[in-house]
């Protein structure tokens, strides 16, 4: 239980548009907490990422990691840069290291259409899309990161890892999320997405899902294969509620989900563990648009809203939950009043979108997830 009213937030802006979307995000967080009151935010800005690696030889300095470890929450922009790589040719991605270091197994990636945006799919039901992809974020095929082998320039190998310990917590998290969403009109369905018809590791994944489903009989438990899920996400995504899947599959499905709601700049995420959590947009550093004020900060702002809600629920501070809902309400209101990011063919850049959200924040009502 927290004894003071200040949440310390480790802020890791990172590289490229990560830095550009973080700046308005901190202003919006500050404005939301000031309007609601009852708690404070102390931002502890730290270096990490590809430019940090280029300049210091270290991608995630000890001091940054220590600050993240002791913070109440971690807010991250985006990290990596195509031309800056480790000696083995792989990209700099401390955001993945943080997930492993802090055991952030539940990658929560909401797919929610914003008001007054033109749906990508023609069917009008996609205007009200609202489902969540939970990407397991510590093992699966990514367990092989840095450990894969190529034999004699002839054969490449990477190994998938699925553990009971992580799966049990992941599935319980998914059922609890579906239960919480049902209070706000959610369907109360969790769908396990796998390839259990082909791989032993996925058959095991599904077996554990069924075991945990039996402990949550109030929630409907479904199964779907990954290939069919990709089809359904395009054909009838409005039927989903909570999807839970392996790391690599979740990586791909969450980008598909982002595509359904306008692009990467609309897709927030939270990587949640038992103690720590990192909140960051799903997107990368977008070198193609960096430095042009073209980045859509919406995903970053909605990730910050998720952070406040998580902090408020964890520490029993309703004001923080309300401030998170207020940010979501302000984003919705700004879109309803016609902001159009470059990403969807509009003319509103990072600065203008931030200005309009800050303006909306003065008057809007909080919006539930
Ligand atoms: P990573 O592998 O690091 O996650 P990525 O390869 O998925 O990154 P992104 O950096 O996410 O690539 O960019 C993918 C595309 O989406 C690019 O064309 C980029 O310009 C666009 N994009 C990403 N984020 C935003 C944003 N916030 N606003 C506008 N466009 C964006």
């Amino acid at each position: 239980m927290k004894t003071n009213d200040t949440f310390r937030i480790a802020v890791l802006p990172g590289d490229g548009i990560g830095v550009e979307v973080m700046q308005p995000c901190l202003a919006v967080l500050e404005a939301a907490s000031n309007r609601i009151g009852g708690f404070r935010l102390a931002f502890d800005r730290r270096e990490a990422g590809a430019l940090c690696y280029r300049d210091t030889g270290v991608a995630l300095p000890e001091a940054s990691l220590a600050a993240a470890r002791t913070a109440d929450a971690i807010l991250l922009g985006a990290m990596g840069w195509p031309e800056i790589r480790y000696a083995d040719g792989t990209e700099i991605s401390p955001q993945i290291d943080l997930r492993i270091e802090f055991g952030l197994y539940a990658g929560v990636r909401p797919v929610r259409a914003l008001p007054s945006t033109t749906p990508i799919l023609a069917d009008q039901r996609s205007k009200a899309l609202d489902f969540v992809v939970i990407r397991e974020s510590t093992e699966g095929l990514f367990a092989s990161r840095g450990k894969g082998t190529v034999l004699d320039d002839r054969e490449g190998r990477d190994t998938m890892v699925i553990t009971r310990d992580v799966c049990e917590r992941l599935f319980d998290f998914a059922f609890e999320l579906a239960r919480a969403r049902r209070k706000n009109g959610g369907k109360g369905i969790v769908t396990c997405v796998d390839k259990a018809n082909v791989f032993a590791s996925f058959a095991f994944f599904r077996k554990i899902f069924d075991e945990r489903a039996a402990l949550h009989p109030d929630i409907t438990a479904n199964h779907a294969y990954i290939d069919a899920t990709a089809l359904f996400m395009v054909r009838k995504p409005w039927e989903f509620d909570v999807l839970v899947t392996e790391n690599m599959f979740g990586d791909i499905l969450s980008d598909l989900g982002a595509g359904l709601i306008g692009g990467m700049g609309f897709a927030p995420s939270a990587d949640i563990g038992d103690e720590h959590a990192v909140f960051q947009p799903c997107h990368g550093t977008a070198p193609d648009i960096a430095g042009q004020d073209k980045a859509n900060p919406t995903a970053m702002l909605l990730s910050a809203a998720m952070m406040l809600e998580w902090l408020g629920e964890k520490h029993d501070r309703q004001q923080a939950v309300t401030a998170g809902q207020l940010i979501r309400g302000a984003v919705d209101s700004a879109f309803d009043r016609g902001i159009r990011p470059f990403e969807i063919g509009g003319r509103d850049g990072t600065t203008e979108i931030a200005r309009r959200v800050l303006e909306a924040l003065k008057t809007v009502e909080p919006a539930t997830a």
Side-chain angles (χ1 to χ4, degrees):
M1 184 70 188
K2 207 164 169 57
T3 50
N4 65 31
D5 64 358
T6 301
F7 292 118
R8 196 169 65 74
I9 312 298
V11 176
L12 306 171
D15 308 303
I17 68 163
V19 181
E20 297 169 34
V21 296
M22 183 62 82
Q23 202 177 333
C25 178
L26 299 185
V28 165
L29 276 168
E30 194 85 54
S33 63
N34 286 342
R35 184 173 152 200
I36 300 300
F39 73 99
R40 288 163 206 264
L41 296 172
F43 299 124
D44 183 4
R45 190 185 168 110
R46 299 287 172 156
E47 294 304 321
L51 295 192
C52 180
Y53 177 76
R54 183 196 64 190
D55 297 341
T56 68
V58 184
L60 182 59
E62 271 305 317
S64 302
L65 185 60
R69 191 186 304 284
T70 53
D72 292 304
I74 303 155
L75 195 60
L76 196 148
M79 293 175 187
W81 202 254
E83 291 83 39
I84 305 173
R85 290 175 183 253
Y86 292 119
D88 68 357
T90 59
E91 279 199 42
I92 315 290
S93 46
Q95 67 278 23
I96 302 181
D97 299 325
L98 285 171
R99 291 173 198 157
I100 310 297
E101 180 72 26
F102 296 144
L104 311 179
Y105 53 86
V108 181
R109 295 167 169 217
V111 180
R112 185 177 72 95
L114 292 182
S116 305
T117 49
T118 309
I120 304 294
L121 301 177
D123 192 302
Q124 288 305 301
R125 283 173 288 186
S126 70
K127 273 192 162 179
L129 270 196
D130 184 0
F131 65 95
V132 180
V133 176
I134 303 180
R135 165 189 178 183
E136 195 292 313
S137 297
T138 58
E139 50 182 36
L141 195 51
F142 276 67
S144 187
R145 186 170 156 259
K147 299 181 197 146
T149 51
V150 176
L151 308 171
D152 303 331
D153 205 26
R154 190 172 37 81
E155 183 177 315
R157 287 176 179 242
D158 283 290
T159 304
M160 164 119 73
V161 177
I162 301 286
T163 66
R164 169 172 287 281
D165 175 46
V166 167
C167 285
E168 287 183 351
R169 286 183 286 153
L170 175 77
F171 295 139
D172 286 347
F173 184 98
F175 285 108
E176 279 154 26
L177 180 63
R179 193 171 292 121
R181 280 170 56 83
R182 197 171 46 189
K183 289 192 195 131
N184 297 315
K187 299 181 185 69
I189 305 171
V190 178
T191 305
C192 175
V193 180
D194 57 48
K195 194 71 181 168
N197 51 336
V198 177
F199 298 103
S201 54
F202 277 118
F204 181 55
F205 189 76
R206 183 179 285 210
K207 172 176 174 279
I208 302 167
F209 175 79
D210 289 342
E211 289 172 14
R212 301 319 280 186
L215 304 177
H216 301 273
D218 57 316
I219 301 295
T220 304
N222 287 345
H223 304 119
Y225 296 128
I226 179 65
D227 41 351
T229 304
L231 175 73
F232 294 154
M233 272 180 72
V234 175
R235 298 285 293 163
K236 48 179 186 178
W238 41 85
E239 290 188 3
F240 290 127
D241 182 14
V242 175
L243 302 176
V244 62
T245 191
E246 178 271 338
N247 205 340
M248 181 73 165
F249 287 172
D251 189 20
I252 298 165
L253 285 188
S254 56
D255 271 30
L256 176 49
L260 290 174
I261 53 170
M264 299 308 293
F266 290 89
S269 90
D271 293 316
I272 299 180
D274 293 334
E275 294 299 324
H276 301 273
V278 172
F279 299 83
Q280 67 173 114
C282 285
H283 62 74
T285 55
D288 54 334
I289 57 165
Q292 302 168 46
D293 195 40
K294 282 189 175 168
N296 177 5
T298 303
M300 183 80 245
L301 300 180
L302 294 175
S303 304
M306 291 170 80
M307 180 186 79
L308 288 181
E309 288 168 328
W310 178 80
L311 280 169
E313 275 156 23
K314 182 166 187 245
H315 299 282
D316 201 16
R317 293 289 166 101
Q318 181 54 40
Q319 292 104 325
V321 174
T322 307
Q325 294 170 343
L326 191 71
I327 293 178
R328 192 173 297 108
V331 168
D332 284 5
S333 162
F335 273 89
D336 220 9
R337 290 182 203 173
I339 51 167
R340 285 290 169 278
F342 282 99
E343 193 177 13
I344 51 171
R347 305 199 60 79
D348 296 318
T350 319
T351 313
E352 177 60 10
I353 296 170
R355 189 185 72 74
R356 300 274 287 274
V357 172
L358 279 166
E359 193 177 279
L361 203 54
K362 293 180 190 154
T363 52
V364 287
E365 293 302 316
T368 49

